[in-house]
Amino acid sequence: MHIVFAASECVPFAKTGGLADVVGALPAEIAKLGHQVTVYLPLYARIRPRIEPKIGQLAYAVRSVTVPFRHYSRFAGIVDGGKQNGVQFYFVESQELFDRPELYGPNGGDYPDNAERFGFFCRAVLEAAKQLGVPEVFHVHDWQTGLIPVYLRTTYAADPVLRHAATVLTIHNAAYQGLFPPATTEQLLFPWDLFTMDKVEQYDRFNFLKGGVVFADQLTTVSHRYAEEIQTPEFGWHLEGVLRGRAADLRGILNGVDYGHWDPATDGNLAAHYSADDLEGKRACRADLLHAFGLNAVPDSAAVVGIVSRFATQKGFDIVAAIGEEMAKQDLVVVALGTGEPALERFFRGWAERHPQKIAVQIRYDEALAHKIEAGADLFLMPSRYEPCGLNQIYSLKYGTVPLVRATGGLDDTIEEWDAKKGTGTGFKFYGYDPRDLLEELDRALAAFQHKKSWTRLMRNGMAREYGWDKPAREYAEVYAEAARRRG
Ligand code: ADP
Ligand code: GLC
């Protein structure tokens, strides 16, 4: 089969979160299964230097495809990014729309023309595929590419080359839906009968993700637990009804992780390497991490609590803020790396200023430092309000860094509560979205940390878990086959 991935992020080209890790790894696994795989991405400003052999020179696969709007047309160049690990990459170029410093907008917000940017991207991918190869299945991700199934079944419904292409939509986060004014319908040249509550309309907004949910042949999301959760009002963000209506076509497939990038035995970002058999190097990683954060004379008894995150409401740091002062009194230090919502950045900065010996924060995006935290910390904190899958806790397991998580979505699916008596489990979980529950679980974790022998057992339990991409890739291949069969 030929599978075309269309997405707004992909490692190593452009990343704001886990979506990029998934789109950076899954296509190559699908290719390994013997399928032809193509990935389309927007040509953001930050990608240009990576793919220009000479400054200002790009290799075009198609010089121009046309995307009409109401009063004008836009044109996309389709840049050939070559083949990597058996996967063909193409970049959709529009200087006006994508040559900007951010992917989506400043300070975790949105550019005002995001409907046009991603509507354009979706249609440009379809036009490009007509020239470069129509796949059996388009695999699209989140709201940014949610209009591909919509275009295929409306604007392009009669197109002799596209009409048989099937679609699979993966929901990485149901809270980000791409909501725009009703006039988006006309702007993107859709008929007004699309703007109804059984199609793309939601509370008088044009909803990109809903369009994808309604029109895609098959739906997936990134953990079993989240597949159930998004069918409830708490996690469905008003899409629970339409998702329940499609429950028969919705499957949870837990993300894998790329151990080529995330393995303490080979990770090039670390001060020392280590593995479950020989944990010695982790001590050097801990010292290196504390040095990187300017924390001196931290005793061995103090647990190093790591955080690497987008600072977004989803991630639950408001309950950390509520117990920040109590946490600072305990036998621990915190090393946090993240960027995002200004209020959360302010909280982290203030917390560190009040407790310079114990709380250290770096407000930025830093790939190498993220790896150092995974390796050098003792505990990894993810108190998420909701978490579709979550990758950091899975990385943590591999690095012998014990996750402390809230039991939601993929965090609940991947972390098993530590039972000191039986010596089973991989981490610590709390249930209520409540600062007291977090504090109690943290106390349990800190107490367990004092028992070095059983703590080592706990670390090794996590390090023995395997979350490679081979199993999820086979599950996706089944979903592609089902989508193609139904469309066939
Ligand atoms: P989400 O996609 O919701 O942000 P995930 O846990 O799935 O959450 O993925 C987050 C990814 O982004 C991880 O690979 C993590 O290491 C990375 N990441 C998040 N913030 C930063 C940062 N400030 N610096 C480096 N990496 C980061
Ligand atoms: C989203 C989710 C995160 C998930 C990632 C990759 O960003 O917030 O939980 O791991 O997508 O699927």
Side-chain angles (χ1 to χ4, degrees):
M1 261 201 279
H2 181 196
I3 314 296
V4 162
F5 281 68
S8 59
E9 299 189 19
C10 175
V11 163
F13 301 107
K15 167 167 168 173
T16 70
L19 169 63
D21 297 85
V22 172
V23 180
L26 176 59
E29 284 300 315
I30 298 295
K32 269 195 220 159
L33 296 177
H35 299 294
Q36 181 190 348
V37 185
T38 306
V39 176
Y40 284 89
L41 301 167
L43 183 56
Y44 303 113
R46 65 183 68 177
I47 298 181
R48 228 168 240 282
R50 280 189 163 271
I51 59 167
E52 279 178 348
K54 286 201 201 129
I55 300 210
Q57 275 194 11
L58 293 165
Y60 288 94
V62 182
R63 195 63 191 80
S64 168
V65 298
T66 307
V67 176
F69 288 89
R70 195 146 171 248
H71 300 296
Y72 53 90
S73 290
R74 289 189 178 277
F75 304 92
I78 307 300
V79 175
D80 188 342
K83 257 193 165 179
Q84 288 177 28
N85 301 321
V87 177
Q88 170 68 47
F89 285 86
Y90 291 119
F91 298 93
V92 173
E93 182 190 43
S94 161
Q95 297 206 4
E96 309 86 56
L97 297 181
F98 298 130
D99 248 352
R100 302 184 189 180
E102 302 299 332
L103 274 55
Y104 311 126
N107 303 322
D110 294 305
Y111 289 121
D113 57 349
N114 273 350
E116 179 163 5
R117 293 175 78 225
F118 290 101
F120 169 85
F121 177 64
C122 290
R123 200 158 169 177
V125 168
L126 293 174
E127 288 295 333
K130 286 176 63 166
Q131 314 272 335
L132 297 169
V134 175
E136 272 81 16
V137 178
F138 285 94
H139 186 179
V140 306
H141 301 264
D142 279 352
W143 73 264
Q144 291 89 345
T145 47
L147 289 193
I148 285 182
V150 182
Y151 275 124
L152 275 173
R153 306 283 87 95
T154 57
T155 315
Y156 289 88
D159 187 309
V161 296
L162 284 173
R163 61 192 297 180
H164 298 296
T167 55
V168 174
L169 166 69
T170 296
I171 300 173
H172 296 262
N173 195 327
Y176 298 90
Q177 299 182 356
L179 300 174
F180 301 101
T184 307
T185 317
E186 284 187 335
Q187 186 193 16
L188 301 182
L189 300 181
F190 287 116
W192 274 109
D193 69 6
L194 191 74
F195 194 71
T196 54
M197 63 178 285
D198 60 332
K199 300 192 182 107
V200 304
E201 187 265 349
Q202 186 86 7
Y203 294 109
D204 206 33
R205 310 291 279 170
F206 186 107
N207 186 317
F208 274 45
L209 185 64
K210 182 173 179 182
V213 169
V214 170
F215 285 97
D217 295 302
Q218 294 282 293
L219 306 173
T220 73
T221 187
V222 290
S223 68
H224 300 277
R225 183 73 201 282
Y226 195 61
E228 291 164 11
E229 287 174 342
I230 53 176
Q231 299 180 50
T232 67
E234 187 184 352
F235 298 98
W237 304 91
H238 304 300
L239 290 187
E240 60 274 8
V242 51
L243 285 163
R244 270 202 305 276
R246 297 225 48 199
D249 303 322
L250 167 65
R251 178 160 167 184
I253 300 178
L254 189 72
N255 286 332
V257 301
D258 183 352
Y259 290 124
H261 283 112
W262 296 95
D263 180 348
T266 52
D267 190 331
N269 302 293
L270 308 186
H273 289 149
Y274 61 93
S275 64
D277 297 332
D278 180 5
L279 288 165
E280 186 50 35
K282 191 165 167 71
R283 288 178 66 82
C285 293
R286 187 180 190 267
D288 178 53
L289 173 65
L290 293 173
H291 179 72
F293 274 87
L295 292 170
N296 301 312
V298 176
D300 282 353
S301 66
V304 178
V305 179
I307 292 172
V308 179
S309 189
R310 289 185 293 115
F311 290 159
T313 315
Q314 166 192 354
K315 299 295 178 179
F317 294 114
D318 52 334
I319 63 175
V320 174
I323 57 164
E325 298 312 301
E326 279 143 295
M327 273 181 76
K329 288 187 197 127
Q330 284 165 314
D331 197 9
L332 55 74
V333 298
V334 173
V335 291
L337 169 67
T339 59
E341 291 169 15
L344 286 168
E345 291 188 357
R346 267 198 306 279
F347 153 66
F348 274 103
R349 275 205 192 90
W351 196 25
E353 276 162 19
R354 287 192 301 282
H355 306 283
Q357 313 294 332
K358 301 197 77 170
I359 314 292
V361 175
Q362 308 220 10
I363 307 281
R364 65 200 155 88
Y365 187 91
D366 184 333
E367 192 77 30
L369 193 57
H371 286 250
K372 282 181 192 290
I373 294 176
E374 289 291 0
D378 299 304
L379 274 170
F380 196 93
L381 179 59
M382 292 181 78
S384 303
R385 188 183 284 266
Y386 70 92
E387 195 62 73
C389 177
L391 296 172
N392 280 305
Q393 83 282 11
I394 309 180
Y395 301 146
S396 298
L397 291 175
K398 186 73 178 172
Y399 284 74
T401 299
V402 176
L404 165 49
V405 305
R406 175 152 180 272
T408 181
L411 296 174
D412 200 23
D413 281 0
T414 53
I415 304 305
E416 186 195 328
E417 179 77 32
W418 168 242
D419 181 330
K421 282 201 194 85
K422 294 191 197 131
T424 57
T426 56
F428 297 90
K429 290 205 267 199
F430 64 101
Y431 289 80
Y433 189 72
D434 184 326
R436 295 289 125 199
D437 289 22
L438 165 58
L439 197 60
E440 271 173 32
E441 198 60 28
L442 178 65
D443 282 344
R444 258 196 289 279
L446 293 177
F449 183 65
Q450 298 310 322
H451 302 281
K452 292 294 174 226
K453 216 167 142 208
S454 61
W455 187 265
T456 305
R457 169 85 182 253
L458 167 55
M459 287 166 63
R460 289 209 167 104
N461 286 353
M463 295 176 93
R465 297 287 162 104
E466 285 292 335
Y467 288 97
W469 268 111
D470 39 334
K471 178 166 176 272
R474 285 196 305 275
E475 294 180 337
Y476 277 109
E478 284 167 24
V479 174
Y480 301 151
E482 178 61 18
R485 192 186 63 75
R486 294 218 202 157
R487 187 57 47 193

